[in-house]
Amino acid sequence: MVGVEDIDVVVIGAGQAGLTGSYHLQRAGIDHVVLDHGDGPGGAWRHRWPSLRLGGVHGIHDLPGSPLREADGARPAAEVVPEYFGTYEYEQELPVLRPVKVDAVRDGGERLLVDSSAGTWAARAVLNATGTWENPFWPHYPGQSSFAGRQLHTAGYRGPEEFRGRRVIVVGGGISAVEHLLEIADVAETTWVTRRPPEFTDAEFTPVDGRAAVAEVERRVRLGLPPGSVVSATGLPNTPAVRAARERGVLNPLPMFERITADGVEWADGRSRHADVILWATGFRPVIAHLAPLHLREPGGGIRVAGTRAVAEPRLHLVGYGPSASTIGANRAGRAAAREITEFVRERSRKP
């Protein structure tokens, strides 16, 4: 096709999963390119709030062949991890192109066509590793547009100082909500609201690859349902800081409110709470809109996946999706997907 470049594999995204997949494809001698939307290395870590220090992060896993050697836990994770990823890309000589926006992946007959801001590639296979950061989930509640204060999502959170002296409602039952509360409670009046009662583990770190949680997410993606979160299913880590905050009453959640008013929120039983800020720590959804031309969405809303392979399109693998959403899961899935793609590409190359 005129103006289309043939290649064995296109990897979309250069976060943990994409770099891991690229590393293993590189070692197998598979001709591939990595298309990354970011202005620089680091994936979603580039956008973490500055007050999130490396020592307070749960779940950074080493990339294959090169451990993270940073020892200063006081440095912002948004600095350390992009430096690590950037060095990794250079040392491993991975074929990363950025910034490149992928507009669509579509069926081109014998190959998948990947349309992007840098041109179109015709690939034997595609490894999709786009993560979730660019698709924050905002729940909708009655009266939301009438709120006179500020609303923001975790994706826009930059640290606690901007809330000093304010009344802040943090919505969400995951690790991000807890991290926000631990910081903001020192400078502002906070209220924690969750849809379900949060569960704290006895461990100081979240078991992000807990078997029961991973098995449940795997079950969902096999059925074509939205994957949900592995981390949220494993419980919240009970670190010393968390225990101290619970003792101070900072982490005593209220049930989900029924409506939002101009100056706060109200519950069905008539209770209300004034607020200047509502911080939605309500998670993210997979970034998969560019896959829409392949028509892979099941009636349940997700993409049916077996391992990492899309059931309805065996040339497409999804990593960092569903059970591989944690960093250690992304490593495992990237390796598994690269191995399966390598076998597929070599088989296709042998055919006349």
Side-chain angles (χ1 to χ4, degrees):
M1 297 178 64
V2 177
V4 177
E5 183 175 347
D6 286 351
I7 198 167
D8 284 335
V9 181
V10 171
V11 178
I12 306 174
Q16 184 97 19
L19 293 183
T20 298
S22 177
Y23 170 86
H24 290 289
L25 290 171
Q26 186 95 312
R27 287 172 64 86
I30 300 299
D31 182 28
H32 72 287
V33 65
V34 183
L35 307 181
D36 187 54
H37 191 207
D39 293 328
W45 290 102
R46 292 173 54 81
H47 310 289
R48 304 295 191 190
W49 51 99
S51 56
L52 181 62
R53 307 295 171 176
L54 184 66
V57 171
H58 303 284
I60 295 179
H61 197 71
D62 290 340
L63 288 163
S66 182
L68 173 61
R69 296 185 176 89
E70 175 64 48
D72 185 359
R75 290 189 63 201
E79 294 179 3
V80 175
V81 179
E83 287 176 6
Y84 172 46
F85 281 18
T87 299
Y88 186 82
E89 292 175 12
Y90 175 77
E91 292 181 345
Q92 302 296 334
E93 300 181 339
L94 302 182
V96 180
L97 299 182
R98 68 166 59 88
V100 177
K101 181 180 183 297
V102 173
D103 298 309
V105 179
R106 51 196 176 90
D107 188 353
E110 292 186 0
R111 293 174 179 252
L112 292 174
L113 299 180
V114 181
D115 298 324
S116 80
S117 59
T120 297
W121 278 265
R124 296 182 189 274
V126 170
L127 195 159
N128 190 80
T130 45
T132 62
W133 185 262
E134 295 179 2
N135 191 18
F137 173 64
W138 291 75
H140 295 286
Y141 281 86
Q144 196 161 0
S145 62
S146 69
F147 183 60
R150 180 187 178 194
Q151 297 187 64
L152 74 159
H153 190 275
T154 290
Y157 178 77
R158 307 308 297 163
E161 280 303 318
E162 60 183 316
F163 307 118
R164 183 173 291 275
R166 314 289 281 176
R167 297 166 297 184
V168 182
I169 293 177
V170 178
V171 182
I175 291 176
S176 292
V178 171
E179 290 174 342
H180 297 334
L181 285 159
L182 292 180
E183 294 187 337
I184 298 171
D186 289 336
V187 300
E189 176 187 325
T190 60
T191 300
W192 188 19
V193 179
T194 64
R195 190 162 56 89
R196 292 189 298 267
E199 295 184 7
F200 291 90
T201 70
D202 293 330
E204 293 191 5
F205 296 95
T206 301
V208 293
D209 59 340
R211 293 182 180 179
V214 171
E216 171 58 18
V217 178
E218 286 180 339
R219 183 190 70 83
R220 292 182 62 83
V221 298
R222 283 198 304 270
L223 295 175
L225 299 172
S229 168
V230 173
V231 175
S232 66
T234 59
L236 297 167
N238 204 17
T239 65
V242 167
R243 290 195 293 271
R246 294 177 72 184
E247 291 172 2
R248 299 195 334 260
V250 171
L251 297 179
N252 291 337
L254 296 177
M256 198 63 208
F257 48 76
E258 185 175 74
R259 67 182 65 86
I260 299 173
T261 64
D263 62 355
V265 298
E266 290 182 354
W267 282 265
D269 60 8
R271 286 181 297 167
S272 65
R273 187 67 57 96
H274 292 294
D276 302 300
V277 179
I278 300 176
L279 173 52
W280 298 93
T282 45
F284 300 79
R285 297 294 183 265
V287 178
I288 52 176
H290 57 287
L291 303 178
L294 297 176
H295 305 292
L296 301 177
R297 292 266 194 164
E298 298 287 333
I303 297 176
R304 191 185 299 269
V305 175
T308 62
R309 178 174 45 79
V311 173
E313 176 47 82
R315 296 171 293 182
L316 173 69
H317 288 252
L318 291 91
V319 294
Y321 178 86
S324 61
S326 67
T327 57
I328 188 171
N331 274 20
R332 294 169 177 169
R335 181 176 64 247
R339 184 184 302 119
E340 189 170 337
I341 288 172
T342 296
E343 293 174 358
F344 176 82
V345 167
R346 288 174 177 170
E347 180 183 347
R348 287 299 178 94
S349 298
R350 288 192 293 266
K351 291 183 177 180

